[in-house]
Amino acid sequence: MAFLKDKRILIVGVASKLSIASGIAQAMHEQGAQLAFTYQNDKLKARLEEYSLEWGSSPDLCFPCDVADDAQIEAVFSESGLKKHWDSLDGIVHAVGFAPRDQINGDFTEVTTREGFKIAHDISTYSFIALAKASRSLMAGRNGCLLTLTYLGANSTMPNYNVMGVAKAGLEASVRWLAHSLGPTGTRVNAVSAGPIKTLAASAIGGFKKLLKQNALRAPLRRNVTQYEVGHVAAFLCSDLASGITGEVTYVDAGFRNVTASEAEVE
Ligand code: NAD
Ligand code: 0WE
């Protein structure tokens, strides 16, 4: 059953085949979705255009979008952007997160700066609201869905995630506020909280391998999750099968978030 047949979905956040957004694109393509994409900068353009063909889309449906820039966000949804090809939009996947490197390494109180806080919140949190704002008219009145990617650091502490955890808490609250705001227009707003996955953003982090190992040991399923597993849940949440779900955070983390202590860790 292709449960995204005839759905038009914009995916923001493909940087490589390892990106969570790529697992989502793959799963959504398999469910019959029509896909469009944005890329952060010219360095990523050629690669994304190549992937777009594999996911049944085309380079015509790949648009530049640095989410720090309102003009670029506006352009994506303009007459020279998506509107040139599509007269409506059913979903947006926001899989973008960023903090300056010095913010996510070391003690929270010591390393967090006003500027670092600002950037983390601008790119990781406000950008979701900005996309909701700019797509409002294209999405309205058609069971649309906005989806973002979050992480457990929104609720629980751990070494190094730092201000990203604060930004993700703001992102999860934004999911609830956007759900309240856009519900009357038919648009649902949700998040998937993924367990740790080795992507470009993640491999840049010191000790990530150890974190993956610890998570797999503690998680009820005794393993980590894949981009593709996150993709299936994202596809479900953006489909009419999830028509009653809005303002929610769904965990795709092999059960990790419920566990306080695990026998697997005792020597
Ligand atoms: P990734 O590096 O593949 O993707 C991050 C994306 O953010 C890239 O496509 C990058 O181009 C984009 N980006 C950063 N700054 C941008 C800007 N200014 N404008 C436009 N795009 C920008 O890494 P990923 O792990 O797939 O991350 C995707 C999302 O998943 C993020 O929100 C991340 O916080 C979240 N997440 C990741 C994990 C994990 O362990 N990898 C776990 C839970 C949640
Ligand atoms: O959200 C993320 C990663 C976010 C991220 C990654 C980078 C690396 C490159 C944000 N900003 C940057 N900035 C860079 O310069 N994750 C959920 C993956 C992640 O990141 C961690 C984690 C996990 C898990 C950082 C510390 C501890 C755990």
Side-chain angles (χ1 to χ4, degrees), residues 2 10 15 26 43 61 70 98 103 128 189-190 197 212 220 247 249:
L10 175 70
Q26 180 63 36
K43 273 191 289 191
L61 289 165
D70 282 329
F98 179 80
Q103 297 295 293
F128 187 52
V189 188
N190 292 295
I197 299 177
L212 277 175
V249 178

Side-chain angles (χ1 to χ4, degrees), residues 115-261:
E115 187 61 14
F117 178 99
K118 229 187 234 173
I119 294 171
H121 282 73
D122 186 26
I123 306 302
S124 313
T125 309
Y126 178 71
S127 65
F128 187 52
I129 301 169
L131 288 169
K133 233 175 152 71
S135 64
R136 209 176 174 181
S137 64
L138 264 174
M139 295 272 301
R142 45 184 308 105
N143 305 324
C145 179
L146 303 175
L147 188 79
T148 188
L149 270 297
T150 184
Y151 181 57
L152 185 61
N155 315 113
S156 312
T157 58
M158 65 193 71
N160 301 324
Y161 199 62
N162 295 349
V163 76
M164 275 304 298
V166 184
K168 289 299 193 190
L171 180 65
E172 292 183 13
S174 301
V175 165
R176 294 183 283 272
W177 281 96
L178 287 169
H180 180 109
S181 163
L182 298 174
T185 73
T187 302
R188 297 179 298 106
V189 188
N190 292 295
V192 168
S193 185
I197 299 177
K198 196 164 190 287
T199 61
L200 278 187
S203 10
I205 284 138
F208 195 76
K209 231 175 136 179
K210 198 172 148 198
L211 180 85
L212 277 175
K213 258 192 174 160
Q214 285 176 339
N215 273 256
L217 261 182
R218 174 177 291 198
L221 294 179
R222 297 290 190 268
R223 62 174 177 85
N224 290 305
V225 296
T226 65
Q227 292 85 336
Y228 192 45
E229 287 181 301
V230 174
H232 287 309
V233 176
F236 159 71
L237 285 171
C238 287
S239 79
D240 293 340
L241 293 175
S243 57
I245 303 178
T246 193
E248 278 298 318
V249 178
T250 301
Y251 285 76
V252 181
D253 68 346
F256 181 86
R257 71 109 167 202
N258 284 317
V259 180
T260 295

